[in-house]
Amino acid sequence: MCLAIPAVIVEKKDNGLAEVDILGVKRDIALDLTPQAEKGDYVLVHAGFAIEVVDQQYAQETLDLIKQFPELAEQE
């Protein structure tokens, strides 16, 4: 099963990367598939790539669902 997680872009970098915040964890991701994404936008992240820009309401609803299942949000 594949899972894309909503994240907010906190910094857009010059090299096609962006720093995102996913449930308080910061990661660098590639914007190759969503070059239109800007700081403050919510994106779905899968395998290190932003695959879609989504609205804040959709992102928050999805994050709320994930929080209901703590094992999905656990870090290894």
Side-chain angles (χ1 to χ4, degrees):
M1 177 174 82
C2 297
L3 181 65
I5 305 285
V8 64
I9 297 175
V10 294
E11 179 185 353
K12 190 168 178 180
K13 301 181 177 185
D14 292 333
N15 55 1
L17 297 177
E19 181 179 355
V20 296
D21 184 309
I22 304 171
L23 295 171
V25 177
K26 300 240 170 94
R27 299 270 190 243
D28 282 348
I29 62 160
L31 296 176
D32 297 339
L33 303 173
T34 57
Q36 75 279 16
E38 296 292 337
K39 181 179 178 180
D41 285 347
Y42 284 82
V43 292
L44 292 180
V45 177
H46 175 70
F49 286 85
I51 60 172
E52 183 179 354
V53 178
V54 296
D55 65 45
Q56 183 177 2
Q57 181 180 349
Y58 175 84
Q60 192 57 56
E61 289 171 359
T62 303
L63 291 170
D64 290 344
L65 284 172
I66 291 170
K67 289 175 187 176
Q68 291 179 23
F69 299 93
E71 65 275 10
L72 293 177
E74 287 179 2
Q75 296 179 12
E76 296 181 21

